[in-house]
Each structure stands twice: as C-alpha cells, then as structure tokens.
C-alpha cells in the first residue's frame, strides 16, 4: 500500500494562485505527495497569468464566472462543481487558501465528504462581518472545521485559539506570499524582459516619486471609490509625484477611475498587471496606496510603506509593526497621510525600515511537512 498522500488544492483567484504556487511547487517535487490542482476560474484572465508564469497546469478547471452573477449563484456553482471533482479524486487532504468564495465552497464541499481541510493563511480576522465583505465570513466558516490551520503569524494563531480551535491543529507557518515574492523577484532578476511592459511608463515618470495604487474592495464601491479618485486627483497636482494605478476590471472601479483620472498627466491608468509586472511596480514605487489584503504583506517585504484605504484590516500585524497604516476612504485623510510620507523623511523611514512580520520565505515547506504528518 502506497504512503503517498493525495492532495487536492483548490483556488480560483489571482491572489490565491500567488499564495499557493510556492506550496504547489513543493508538493509537486516531494515524493510523499500526489498533488492535484483544481481551479474554479473565479478570476479568469488574472488567474491564468499566474498559472502560466508559475508553470502550474490545473487538472480540473470549473470556469465558473458568468457576467454579473450573484454571490449565491456563484456559491451554488462552486459547491456542486467542486463536489463532483472531490468525488472523482477521493483525496487524503483538501487545501484551500484565504477567504474567497472558492476557498469557502472548496472547504465546505470537503467537509460534506468528511475530507480533512488544510486552511492556508488561517486565522485572519477583522472582527466585522461586513468589512471585508464577504471574506470575513468565508474565512470564519473555513476556520470552524478545518483540520489543519496554517496561520501566517502568531496574531492569527491567537485569533483561532480565542475561537476555541484546538491549539494542536494551529501552526504558525509564515505567509506563502513572501515565498512567492522571493521567487518572482529572483526570476525577474534573471529575466528582465518579463517586466518590459512597464518600461514606457517608467521612462515617462523618470525623476518623479511613484505612488503605486490598487483598489477593488466591494465595500468601497460608490462613495469610497469616488473619494479615492478625488484624493488621487489632488496628489497628482504635485510636480514631484506620479501615480501608477493598475485598474481592476470590475466596472464599479473602472467607470469612476476612467472618468476622474484618465486625463491627468501624472497618473498612468494601466490594465491589471501580471505578477512579474506587479512585483516590479512594488519595487520602483516610493509608497503604496491600496485596499488590497495581499499588498499589505508584499510591499513591506520590499521596504515600501503601505497606506490602507479601509476602515479595518484583518492584518493588524503590519499596523502594529509600523509597515502599514489604516487611512480609510476619507479624501482629506488619504491626501494628508500620503503627503506626510512624501514630505517627512523621518516618518517615511520609520515605516520603510519596520520589520515585515509576515514571513521568511520558507512557509510552503513548513506546510508540506505538516500535511505529511
């Protein structure tokens, strides 16, 4: 009888792919495992870019996205589609990452079959079920029955223990996003052509301090997005600054940003960047303005301060360490906090030199060892 463990890893979005490809590389190379990959296609083009650069070929692809589908329609398609694949594969473990609909439905489908679930990046909590929405509830659902919790930090492990999760199944592994960033940075250094798509905008903004911007959170749609656009407009009036903004495909983001910012000389609105180009943007910018979760972990690894355009964060470690600061979506607050970092060298240095609490680049190997036990 074989001792090889069959692992089905389930994901569907670009951030999940980035955080799971280091683990997939480790599982693929390790004779203790038979690794199978199931993607939902929850982000289609952006997911495929990461799969290509990381050399991951899925064994199953559900391709679930339909235009304007509701969360409950998406959930139904995910749950039944993933369930059918699990019935076919009969794995020893199911691995999910983070807090997407794909992760929650993958874990739930596994639970319905009494298959053990490993939750990568477990224990993140904002304490508010509507911020981030629906992610906070998705990860609480997974956390209520996962058999192995790979917590990125001691803070996230503590959150799980406070929810009465058995301490024996909670392990601090670091965050695989740092493994991924180390891998892609080395790859870009060896193959500079991978990031040639930013050459034109880099030349255009030579001599200016670059602010990298990302924004896509559902809870910021509407007034929040309009405030963010207005803040960017005011910052772009500075001669010494340029803003590079890869604009999310969601029409709730695109319509406002194109309307407000497209005509500004100091703002480059780009199509969403693939992973190598995004790593390059983090590398060349002075600071990052974002409402993303993953960027709060990635930017500090490159010594870049992060201003988080959200009211709460499930990554308080960055705020506590000084690498990140919550600024919300109030226009005046965003402008004031960005200008403080631009104009006060001591304030900038304090954030840029703070210790990154999210990992050492060896998280995937730790998780694989836990799965092998």
């Amino acid at each position: 009888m074989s001792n090889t463990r069959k692992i089905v890893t389930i994901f569907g979005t670009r951030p999940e792919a980035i955080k799971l490809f280091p683990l997939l590389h480790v599982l693929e190379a390790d004779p203790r495992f038979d690794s199978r990959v199931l993607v939902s296609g929850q982000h289609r083009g952006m997911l495929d870019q990461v799969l290509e650069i990381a050399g991951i070929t899925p064994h199953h692809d559900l391709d679930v996205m339909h235009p304007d589908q509701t969360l409950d329609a998406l959930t139904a398609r995910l749950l039944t589609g993933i369930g059918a694949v699990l019935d076919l594969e009969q794995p020893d473990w199911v691995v999910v990452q983070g807090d997407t609909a794909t992760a929650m439905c993958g874990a739930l489908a596994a639970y319905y079959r009494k298959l053990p679930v490993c939750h990568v990046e477990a224990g993140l909590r904002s304490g508010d079920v509507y911020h981030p929405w629906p992610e906070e509830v998705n990860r609480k659902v997974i956390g209520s029955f996962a058999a192995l919790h790979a917590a990125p930090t001691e803070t996230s492990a503590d959150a799980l223990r406070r929810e009465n999760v058995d301490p024996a199944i909670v392990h601090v592994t670091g965050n695989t996003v740092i493994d991924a960033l180390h891998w892609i940075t080395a790859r870009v250094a060896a193959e500079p052509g991978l990031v040639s798509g930013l050459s034109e905008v880099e030349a255009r903004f030579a001599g200016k301090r670059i602010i990298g911007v990302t924004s896509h959170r559902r809870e910021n749609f509407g007034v929040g997005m309009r405030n963010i656009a207005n803040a960017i407009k005011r910052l772009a009036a500075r001669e010494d600054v340029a803003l590079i903004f890869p604009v999310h495909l969601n029409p709730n983001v695109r319509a406002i940003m194109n309307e407000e910012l497209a005509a500004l000389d100091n703002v480059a609105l780009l199509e969403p960047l693939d992973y190598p180009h995004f790593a390059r943007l983090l590398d060349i910018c002075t600071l990052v303005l974002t409402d993303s979760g993953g960027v709060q972990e990635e930017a500090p690894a490159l010594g870049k301060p992060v201003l988080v355009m959200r009211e709460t964060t499930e990554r308080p470690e960055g705020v506590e360490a000084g690498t990140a600061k919550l600024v919300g979506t109030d226009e005046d607050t965003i402008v004031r906090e960005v200008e403080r970092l631009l104009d006060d060298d001591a304030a900038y240095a304090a954030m840029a030199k703070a210790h990154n609490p999210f990992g050492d680049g060896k998280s995937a190997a730790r998780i694989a060892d836990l799965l092998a036990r």
Side-chain angles (χ1 to χ4, degrees):
M1 186 176 153
S2 168
N3 287 327
T4 308
R5 297 202 162 182
K6 183 187 271 194
I7 313 286
V8 170
T9 303
I10 302 172
F11 57 99
T13 67
R14 176 180 182 269
E16 287 170 296
I18 289 169
K19 291 181 174 186
L20 284 170
F21 82 71
L23 178 59
L24 293 173
H25 287 172
V26 170
L27 295 176
E28 192 60 43
D30 190 325
R32 295 175 294 180
F33 302 108
D34 172 14
S35 173
R36 313 291 287 174
V37 176
L38 162 56
V39 299
S40 68
Q42 192 180 329
H43 287 175
R44 186 73 268 170
M46 296 162 86
L47 169 71
D48 293 343
Q49 290 171 353
V50 180
L51 295 175
E52 186 179 348
I53 189 75
I56 305 292
T57 304
H59 301 87
H60 306 277
D61 189 333
L62 302 180
D63 200 21
V64 295
M65 281 319 275
H66 287 193
D68 298 321
Q69 71 184 332
T70 60
L71 278 174
D72 38 14
L74 173 62
T75 299
R77 291 167 67 84
L78 286 166
L79 201 52
T80 53
I82 292 168
V85 173
L86 294 181
D87 289 339
L88 182 72
E89 290 286 2
Q90 300 285 313
D92 298 299
W93 276 95
V94 170
V95 174
V96 298
Q97 190 281 329
D99 51 26
T100 64
T102 296
M104 190 268 284
C105 293
L108 200 54
Y111 170 72
Y112 287 161
R113 288 155 181 80
K114 297 188 177 176
L115 297 170
V117 173
C118 168
H119 189 196
V120 176
E121 199 181 51
L124 275 62
R125 297 291 184 270
S126 71
D128 181 340
V129 295
Y130 294 108
H131 289 88
W133 173 83
E135 290 87 352
E136 179 78 358
V137 162
N138 287 344
R139 54 181 167 240
K140 284 171 75 83
V141 169
I142 302 166
S144 65
F145 58 77
L148 173 59
H149 302 259
T153 65
E154 194 55 51
T155 303
S156 43
D158 278 343
L160 291 163
R161 292 188 283 258
R162 282 199 304 276
E163 292 174 4
N164 296 318
V165 174
D166 179 359
I169 60 171
V170 177
H171 300 269
V172 177
T173 59
N175 198 311
T176 53
V177 79
I178 308 301
D179 303 37
L181 195 60
H182 286 185
W183 185 88
I184 196 65
T185 305
R187 179 86 186 267
V188 167
E191 298 175 59
L194 286 171
V195 294
S196 60
L198 280 177
S199 303
E200 192 180 315
V201 76
E202 285 187 50
R204 176 178 149 198
F205 293 150
K208 293 185 185 291
R209 288 187 288 176
I210 290 171
I211 300 170
V213 185
T214 75
S215 187
H216 71 280
R217 295 229 72 85
R218 286 173 185 263
E219 64 266 27
N220 286 343
F221 290 173
V223 174
M225 282 293 159
R226 186 74 61 183
N227 288 348
I228 290 167
N230 288 337
I232 290 169
K233 200 185 295 187
R234 284 167 59 184
L235 292 165
R238 289 179 59 128
E239 293 287 314
D240 61 331
V241 162
L243 297 101
I244 298 179
F245 188 167
V247 184
H248 198 274
L249 296 171
N250 192 303
N252 291 291
V253 182
R254 292 216 140 186
I256 289 175
M257 296 310 167
N258 286 334
E259 176 192 333
E260 298 290 345
L261 306 175
L264 300 178
D265 291 342
N266 281 8
V267 178
L269 297 180
L270 307 181
E271 291 301 305
L273 298 175
D274 64 17
Y275 188 44
H277 283 94
F278 189 72
R280 175 64 181 169
L281 174 57
L282 291 180
D283 201 28
I284 63 173
C285 71
T286 298
L287 63 98
V288 182
L289 197 53
T290 187
D291 62 11
S292 159
V295 179
Q296 295 175 51
E297 301 148 353
E298 292 167 308
L302 298 176
K304 305 304 162 94
V306 188
L307 297 177
V308 184
M309 298 182 291
R310 291 163 63 173
E311 303 306 325
T312 61
T313 179
E314 63 283 28
R315 294 168 175 84
E317 302 90 338
V319 176
E320 287 157 16
T323 60
K325 183 168 188 178
L326 287 172
V327 298
T329 56
D330 176 73
E331 179 187 333
D332 291 336
T333 305
I334 293 169
V335 172
R336 183 178 68 248
E337 293 296 337
V338 170
E339 295 202 314
R340 190 174 71 91
L341 290 176
L342 292 173
D343 299 333
D344 181 340
D345 291 345
Y348 183 86
M351 288 188 78
K353 292 175 181 167
H355 163 72
N356 181 16
F358 294 109
D360 59 2
K362 296 171 186 163
S363 305
R366 291 188 190 103
I367 295 166
D369 284 341
L370 291 167
L371 287 168
R373 285 188 206 169

